[in-house]
Amino acid sequence: MSSEQTVRTLVVAEQSSGEPDAATARVVAAAAALGEAIEVLVVGSGAERAAEQVARLAGVQRVHCCEAAHYDHAAAENTAALVAGMAGEYTHLLAAASTTGRSIMPRVAALCNVAQLSEVVAVQGPDTFVRPIYAGSVLATVQSDDALRVLTIRPTAFDAVGAQEAAPVAALAAGEDTGLSRLVDEQLVSGERPELSSARVVVSGGRGLGSGDNFRLIEAVADRLGAGIGASRAAVDAGYVPNDMQVGQTGKMVAPELYIAVGISGSIQHLAGMKDSRVIVAINHDEEAPIFQVADYGLVADLFEILPELVEKLPRHES
Amino acid sequence: MKVLVAVKRVIDYNVRVRVSEDHAGVDLAHAKMAMNPFCEIALEEAVRLKEQGIASEVVAVTIGPKAAQEQLRSAMALGADRALHLEHDEALESLHVAGLLAGVVEEEQPGLVLLGKQSIDSDNNQTAQMLAAMLGCGQATYASDIRVAGESVTVTCEIDGGLRILALQLPAVISVDLRLNEPRFARLPDIMKAKKRPIESRAAQSLGVDLAPRVRTLRVDYPAERQPGVRVDSVDELVDRLKNEAGVI
Ligand SMILES: Cc1cc2nc3c(=O)[nH]c(=O)nc-3n(C[C@H](O)[C@H](O)[C@H](O)COP(=O)(O)OP(=O)(O)OC[C@H]3O[C@@H](n4cnc5c(N)ncnc54)[C@H](O)[C@@H]3O)c2cc1C
Ligand SMILES: Nc1ncnc2c1ncn2[C@@H]1O[C@H](COP(=O)(O)O)[C@@H](O)[C@H]1O
């Protein structure tokens, strides 16, 4: 039935101040695994500038651009209404499984009265997808019977597409402002460090660090490697570091080239967020810690002794 | 103001799940079950709103088999005033759950609906957003702070880049995150009392929501195992291997 249907995909991209989110090129890669007809929607203030860049992502055939401030700050109610209004033209609607995508896409699916599939990590056909369940302990292969498939894509599971000659960009008339929610404030962490979910190297600290102050040791290692900094939930709950640094089932999913876990025990919930990293290093003074079961290189040692030495001996990152 | 809290029965978060022999699903027989951790937090918040005199009544609702009444008993022991059970034996998708909850909202007319951000079994993270869409009301996800004032609610949401604070008109739907509060433990006398309280139970089908499956699970597998790693004895060895063996630094 469904596999004979012509695939036409709309990717809902994220942008801020005219910069498309890095995950967009990865979501487009997932769209390319479905079929060739790929269009992208960009909304909010700065959409026109972001659209120019998105149009150059390989495989994109058309970009719809809706420059209107009532789509800013991931306004889920307004954005979902706009996307649902366009849905009739498409067989697949895709977005990144970011906090934004995960807020908007279920709302879109409900407006269209179809199911939604979260955190897709592999596309096996137009109607068949793989997604982790139970904190990534198992992978489910699922088939969707709906005529419209609404998916969020785990960006780390797909390699970003390359570049192309710019595809056409079409302006899209804004929908109404539903007025259902209003932004009061936004407190964004402005990082000079690489963004956690796209960093090549991530260094994470856990409860073993003992205090927020001690995270300076993690920072020193990260500085050497040009790395992003992550944390376990225990470290975030204890107030050592802010919540946006949490890696795991309920935090961020990362899959860098190198992940260094320091003073982290390796709970299933933490592993869910990092076990697809290419190389994993664990530093922990408890040789029984479960983190060693996923580590390529395990060092049983006191972190307070080891980290200063590590900083000393790591080659300096060239940026 | 009435607060409705959706609570789900799931496998306990400490249990290691097993793929069934035929790979059709996971083996839940004899597994320890519990209230979804995010639902505990949603319930705790509702109870606190009542203690602050903001909520007048806390209603807990669950959709699931008869055994899910256990989680409703826990909810009452923790402070829910009433418990609604929509009985259904097969697993449901978030779209169905949201449809059923919309039916309950229609009947109960709560000012606020609180849900967990995610079920730890399906890892869907969908139901609250779907319910808000069906009700045509505002939504806030990943709540780490909730303040009700008059006809509106201000919610701090944990987002990828930091925090976002939203104001929603009531009625509204909010999904809660781990740092919203620290759920209390039920006291023994309350657990005993909850055993005797009534649970309003009826068949999920009685709400007239289409519960036909949209998604079929073809198979379930363990993820590929990582190659066993090595223990290194010193920082020198670690740096050497990262440089010359793994080539990552
Ligand atoms: C619903 C739910 C969702 C969750 N989601 C997440 C999530 O997304 N991410 C997450 O991380 N957790 C999550 N958790 C929490 C998770 O279960 C663990 O509690 C948490 O990951 C533990 O963090 P930790 O490893 O830092 O702390 P601990 O388990 O306390 O481990 C600390 C480690 O540090 C080591 N250590 C201590 N001192 C030293 C030293 N001087 N030198 C070297 N090593 C030292 C110890 O040996 C120990 O192994 C979730 C839990 C639930 C219930
Ligand atoms: N069967 C159910 N019964 C009651 N509430 C549910 C059920 N399934 C999901 N929910 C609610 O929806 C939240 C998010 O679930 P999900 O969208 O499945 O990840 C849960 O934390 C519950 O609050």
Side-chain angles (χ1 to χ4, degrees):
Chain A
M1 169 199 76
S2 39
S3 43
E4 280 144 44
Q5 171 190 24
T6 328
V7 169
R8 199 166 164 208
T9 302
L10 181 69
V11 171
V12 181
E14 285 170 49
Q15 62 93 16
S16 73
S17 319
E19 267 308 305
D21 191 85
T24 308
R26 295 170 179 270
V27 181
V28 170
L34 286 163
E36 282 177 7
I38 304 170
E39 301 181 13
V40 184
L41 172 68
V42 190
V43 300
S45 307
E48 282 169 12
R49 268 195 302 135
E52 285 173 28
Q53 291 190 54
V54 168
R56 293 199 173 84
L57 293 174
V60 172
Q61 295 184 340
R62 176 182 281 274
V63 181
H64 303 272
C65 170
C66 186
E67 174 98 27
H70 62 276
Y71 299 112
D72 291 354
H73 311 290
E77 299 87 352
N78 291 343
T79 310
L82 183 75
V83 176
M86 301 171 74
E89 304 287 316
Y90 301 93
T91 56
H92 294 76
L93 305 177
L94 271 57
S98 58
T99 50
T100 299
R102 290 185 306 213
S103 286
I104 293 171
M105 298 312 263
R107 192 167 176 116
V108 171
L111 292 176
C112 299
N113 190 30
V114 296
Q116 196 245 290
L117 295 171
S118 300
E119 303 264 358
V120 167
V121 295
V123 172
Q124 294 196 336
D127 59 0
T128 309
F129 311 95
V130 180
R131 57 176 302 263
I133 53 176
Y134 293 95
S137 309
V138 296
L139 294 172
T141 305
V142 296
Q143 187 166 25
S144 150
D145 293 336
D146 285 315
L148 172 71
R149 279 122 196 161
V150 183
L151 318 178
T152 60
I153 302 295
R154 181 173 292 181
T156 53
F158 295 86
D159 289 327
V161 296
Q164 66 173 15
E165 288 273 315
V169 176
L172 180 74
E176 64 151 355
D177 182 355
T178 59
L180 289 171
S181 70
R182 183 174 58 79
L183 180 79
V184 178
D185 192 14
E186 205 165 51
Q187 295 156 11
L188 301 182
V189 248
S190 58
E192 284 133 50
R193 289 185 187 284
E195 215 272 308
L196 200 50
S197 31
S198 55
R200 202 188 67 86
V201 179
V202 173
V203 187
S204 287
R207 201 199 311 263
L209 267 295
S211 76
D213 246 11
N214 290 338
F215 254 77
R216 273 181 313 192
L217 295 166
I218 298 287
E219 281 168 25
V221 177
D223 285 345
R224 274 282 167 153
L225 296 169
I229 297 184
S232 70
R233 176 186 168 193
V236 174
D237 280 357
Y240 302 170
V241 290
N243 64 282
D244 56 281
M245 285 167 64
Q246 181 176 320
V247 171
Q249 179 188 21
T250 52
K252 286 187 178 147
M253 302 291 164
V254 302
E257 285 288 295
L258 173 61
Y259 187 89
I260 305 182
V262 183
I264 292 178
S265 61
S267 66
I268 178 88
Q269 293 86 10
H270 188 79
L271 300 188
M274 45 64 76
K275 69 176 156 43
D276 293 328
S277 306
R278 188 161 86 74
V279 175
I280 297 174
V281 171
I283 299 173
N284 196 305
H285 67 185
D286 172 12
E287 63 174 334
E288 302 290 319
I291 189 77
F292 287 120
Q293 289 163 21
V294 300
D296 300 286
Y297 302 110
L299 184 53
V300 180
D302 186 309
L303 68 92
F304 295 104
E305 282 168 27
I306 284 299
L307 291 186
E309 186 187 344
L310 184 62
V311 172
E312 197 74 11
K313 291 179 173 164
L314 278 173
R316 197 177 291 276
H317 163 76
E318 321 277 350
S319 59
Chain B
M1 176 183 74
K2 197 191 275 188
V3 179
L4 183 71
V5 186
V7 301
K8 184 179 181 186
R9 175 185 175 83
V10 296
I11 194 165
D12 184 271
Y13 79 97
N14 281 313
V15 176
R16 241 192 149 71
V17 300
R18 288 180 185 291
V19 171
S20 65
E21 221 144 281
D22 59 1
H23 285 262
V26 299
D27 196 355
L28 290 180
H30 315 300
K32 184 175 171 213
M33 304 296 280
M35 191 188 294
N36 187 40
F38 295 102
C39 301
E40 289 182 343
I41 294 166
L43 180 69
E44 174 68 30
E45 195 67 12
V47 172
R48 289 186 191 186
L49 286 172
K50 186 166 176 205
E51 288 167 349
Q52 292 160 19
I54 293 166
S56 52
E57 187 182 34
V58 175
V59 181
V61 56
T62 198
I63 300 148
K66 185 131 205 150
Q69 291 194 1
E70 237 179 273
Q71 278 61 49
L72 288 177
R73 298 262 171 231
S74 312
M76 289 192 289
L78 289 165
D81 298 298
R82 280 168 55 217
L84 315 179
H85 177 213
L86 301 179
E87 190 169 346
H88 196 78
D89 285 334
E90 288 80 46
L92 289 171
E93 297 161 28
S94 294
L95 184 74
H96 305 132
V97 173
L100 293 166
L101 292 176
V104 172
V105 168
E106 191 79 11
E107 293 173 4
E108 295 285 334
Q109 297 288 320
L112 193 59
V113 188
L114 298 179
L115 300 90
K117 81 159 174 184
Q118 168 173 349
S119 310
I120 62 159
D121 49 4
S122 68
D123 279 337
N124 269 352
N125 190 338
Q126 299 172 3
T127 307
Q129 301 89 311
M130 288 179 158
L131 175 62
M134 291 169 181
L135 300 174
C137 69
Q139 67 177 54
T141 44
Y142 314 104
S144 64
D145 188 69
I146 297 177
R147 282 159 207 240
V148 179
E151 289 304 298
S152 82
V153 58
T154 305
V155 188
T156 303
C157 305
E158 296 193 349
I159 57 168
D160 287 337
L163 299 172
R164 179 179 293 138
I165 300 161
L166 297 175
L168 311 175
Q169 288 304 308
L170 297 176
V173 178
I174 301 175
S175 82
V176 308
D177 215 324
L178 290 170
R179 273 169 287 278
L180 177 62
N181 60 46
E182 189 78 55
R184 70 194 70 189
F185 291 99
R187 299 183 316 139
L188 190 60
D190 294 332
I191 295 173
M192 300 315 286
K193 265 188 256 160
K195 286 199 169 131
K196 301 197 193 86
R197 303 251 303 273
I199 287 176
E200 302 163 46
S201 184
R202 61 185 150 152
Q205 267 102 351
S206 66
L207 270 78
V209 175
D210 173 13
L211 299 179
R214 309 296 187 90
V215 178
R216 279 168 296 136
T217 299
L218 302 182
R219 59 178 292 128
V220 167
D221 298 277
Y222 291 112
E225 290 238 0
R226 290 186 73 93
Q227 294 298 319
V230 296
R231 292 288 160 95
V232 294
D233 291 325
S234 65
V235 168
D236 289 312
E237 186 187 349
L238 177 64
V239 171
D240 178 62
R241 284 188 186 253
L242 288 178
K243 208 185 291 179
N244 300 316
E245 190 174 74
V248 285
I249 59 171

